[in-house]
Amino acid sequence: MIIDPSELETHSVYKLLIGAVVPRPIAWVSSRSHDGIFNLAPYSFFNVVSREPPMLAFSVGPRTGGEDYAKDTLTNIRESQEFVINIVSMDLANAMQETAINYPPEVDEFEQAGVTPAPCVVVDTPRVAEAKISMECTLETVLELGTDHLVIGLMQRYHVEDAIISNGRIDTRGLDPLGRLAGNFTKVETLFDLPMAKTE
């Protein structure tokens, strides 16, 4: 089957994209408004985009429901020039899902999700204390790509739970990360190695 995305409704193209690009990690992004309100929201268009210097990126889509103004996360990051990416472990799945709700800007989503804001080292935005990994970022740039905005951050500090790091490596099983499969979620349950590729 060959599909031309230009012949489909936007929603249909989106469904194909999220069904094909799997599994996707989840960036649980904390930000802070100019009034000091804490925001927390999950984004599954997320990945590493540079190793030196270390940079992370996630894509912010348009608001659901037809509103034509930017999501709170994007507004906050543009104003503060910083954010924190928290990694979602299985034990935080329900709290993360609570923050997927489209709350008004004056609502503290840390409170709604029942998680604890913890101070960072470089940025003023809080991290999620219960997250096993959090990464402080300063804003590098925001790229407008069609209907979405790609937020690229320079990673300034890691916060890693002692129990899941050894010899500079993260224990994936200990992290127990949550991922996205189309509209469903997945967890890492099977780890295996492949033979190293041979080079001539």
Side-chain angles (χ1 to χ4, degrees):
M1 182 181 294
I2 298 174
I3 300 171
D4 182 348
S6 67
E7 296 177 353
L8 299 178
E9 297 278 342
T10 301
H11 186 68
S12 297
V13 176
Y14 171 72
K15 289 296 185 184
L16 290 173
L17 284 172
I18 64 172
V21 183
V22 291
R24 298 188 310 281
I26 300 171
W28 202 13
V29 181
S30 48
S31 62
R32 180 178 183 152
S33 75
H34 66 276
D35 293 325
I37 305 298
F38 299 154
N39 180 267
L40 194 55
Y43 295 90
S44 66
F45 285 18
F46 160 57
N47 221 311
V48 177
V49 293
S50 172
R51 67 194 75 196
E52 178 54 43
M55 293 188 189
L56 303 166
F58 67 97
S59 180
V60 181
R63 277 185 177 269
T64 57
E67 298 98 334
D68 60 359
Y69 56 96
K71 287 186 176 178
D72 298 333
T73 299
L74 183 58
T75 299
N76 293 347
I77 292 172
R78 279 176 160 162
E79 290 177 348
S80 68
Q81 299 287 293
E82 63 180 40
F83 57 95
V84 180
I85 291 179
N86 306 277
I87 301 301
V88 183
S89 298
M90 275 299 299
D91 60 341
L92 292 172
N94 289 333
M96 179 276 297
Q97 187 68 350
E98 181 68 25
T99 64
I101 296 171
N102 192 12
Y103 287 107
E106 62 272 15
V107 172
D108 183 328
E109 283 155 325
F110 277 77
E111 289 184 3
Q112 294 297 318
V115 294
T116 310
C120 286
V121 176
V122 175
V123 304
D124 290 329
T125 298
R127 59 189 173 87
V128 175
E130 292 81 1
K132 295 177 182 179
I133 297 178
S134 297
M135 292 168 281
E136 300 182 36
C137 297
T138 52
L139 180 63
E140 182 72 15
T141 190
V142 176
L143 301 176
E144 188 171 347
L145 303 174
T147 58
D148 295 28
H149 291 81
L150 185 68
V151 179
I152 302 175
L154 180 62
M155 203 277 291
Q156 300 285 357
R157 293 290 188 279
Y158 286 110
H159 295 262
V160 185
E161 186 178 277
D162 292 348
I164 66 163
I165 188 168
S166 178
N167 297 321
R169 296 181 180 273
I170 301 296
D171 172 14
T172 307
R173 287 189 177 89
L175 177 59
D176 200 18
L178 192 67
R180 212 65 214 271
L181 296 173
N184 306 115
F185 294 91
T186 185
K187 63 175 289 184
V188 176
E189 293 185 298
T190 304
L191 302 179
F192 60 93
D193 295 316
L194 291 174
M196 293 294 290
K198 294 181 180 179
T199 57
E200 295 185 7

